[in-house]
Amino acid sequence: MNRLSGKIALITGAAQGLGAAMAAKFVEEGARVVLTDINAAGAAEQAAQIGAAARSIGHDVTSPEEWEAAIAFAEAEFGGIHILVNNAGISAGTTVEATSFEDWRRVHAIDLDSVFFGCKLALPLMARTVHATGVRGSIVNISSIAGVIAGHNSAAYNSAKAAVRHLTKSVALHCAKQRYGITCNSIHPVFIDTPILDGITSRFGREEGLAKLGRQIPLGAVGEPDDIAWAAVYLASDEAKMVTGHGLYVDGGISAM
């Protein structure tokens, strides 16, 4: 459908899971994409599978210097950035009493600080790219339904993902005030069948683990990576040109309970 024709995207955490699915879907919809990941070999493998419209670079999203390198790489390879997807993240399931300060800081560094660095450091190039091409820009931050609905055993993860939701709103208002032509929205997935669920599927077995999680969701099933990829395509497309500062729940109805 070429919903993203003429656009250049940078997607973090793209060696597997949601990032890889979004990269493939973006290219199918006409975009050129830079896949970044701390797992440089995995990102390169995904880019090779996608084809000529994809490039990859190793990228520790907690490092401002590596953010600058990834952004410069996107400009050198494709000429700029229209779409930034802050997807890289980790899960952590411990209570507030059981969470060490080291783990607290690590979760926030990867899940929250990386989004701050991405928005702060990519926006100047994005604004220049939008101005030069006349093609609208988008930031899509992957939060979680855990940033809206808390759990007793996810203190750090709940905190970081909730902060991503609110940071998204601040960035959206900043971009609007600056008249950048860039929107900023967050996506809030429920359980999605990606490696982030390996802990529970290895503990209970894949089939039972997914069924156990699915029983918590009104629609009765764990989501698929393309469920999030399609949501990201929408928010990055011109169909969503009047949508900014919004949190899109892809949660099978769990937030309605």
Side-chain angles (χ1 to χ4, degrees):
M1 291 177 63
N2 291 319
R3 294 161 73 189
L4 303 180
S5 180
K7 299 194 178 191
I8 302 160
L10 187 153
I11 303 175
T12 68
Q16 61 183 1
L18 300 184
M22 287 186 285
K25 197 64 70 181
F26 278 24
V27 170
E28 287 177 13
E29 292 293 329
R32 290 172 290 168
V33 179
V34 173
L35 295 79
T36 86
D37 203 291
I38 197 166
N39 176 5
E45 182 180 353
Q46 293 292 339
Q49 291 177 10
I50 291 170
R55 302 285 189 277
S56 70
I57 185 173
H59 181 196
D60 177 352
V61 294
T62 69
S63 165
E65 293 77 18
E66 293 200 18
W67 262 108
E68 290 171 347
I71 292 163
F73 178 79
E75 184 173 22
E77 291 293 313
F78 290 137
I81 300 173
H82 297 95
I83 304 165
L84 171 65
V85 181
N86 286 303
N87 167 69
I90 59 171
S91 180
T94 52
T95 69
V96 65
E97 290 185 282
T99 302
S100 69
F101 187 48
E102 180 182 9
D103 286 345
W104 174 269
R105 294 185 70 174
R106 179 169 177 264
V107 170
H108 282 79
I110 297 171
D111 289 5
L112 174 60
D113 294 352
S114 68
V115 179
F116 164 72
F117 289 140
C119 294
K120 174 181 174 62
L121 298 175
L123 267 174
L125 176 58
M126 292 182 70
R128 293 198 303 272
T129 307
V130 169
H131 179 75
T133 63
V135 176
R136 192 182 67 83
S138 311
I139 297 173
V140 179
N141 296 325
I142 306 302
S143 178
S144 170
I145 203 61
V148 180
I149 300 171
H152 74 280
N153 60 346
S154 300
Y157 189 68
N158 286 155
S159 171
K161 290 300 189 178
V164 169
R165 176 174 177 265
H166 223 56
L167 174 60
T168 295
K169 296 177 183 294
S170 180
V171 173
L173 294 173
H174 168 72
C175 291
K177 188 174 181 62
Q178 296 299 316
R179 297 293 186 263
Y180 280 158
I182 298 169
T183 58
C184 184
N185 297 286
S186 56
I187 298 177
H188 300 260
V190 72
F191 308 118
I192 304 294
D193 188 5
T194 69
I196 205 169
L197 301 184
D198 284 352
I200 193 163
T201 56
S202 62
R203 179 181 175 189
F204 293 98
R206 176 171 171 79
E207 186 174 341
E208 175 54 31
L210 294 179
K212 181 179 178 65
L213 294 173
R215 286 192 290 271
Q216 301 178 47
I217 302 170
L219 286 181
V222 166
E224 300 173 353
D226 275 358
D227 294 326
I228 307 307
W230 281 122
V233 166
Y234 165 67
L235 290 175
S237 76
D238 289 344
E239 296 165 22
K241 64 185 176 63
M242 281 295 288
V243 180
T244 197
H246 177 65
L248 177 55
Y249 299 175
V250 187
D251 69 350
I254 199 168
S255 61
M257 296 173 65

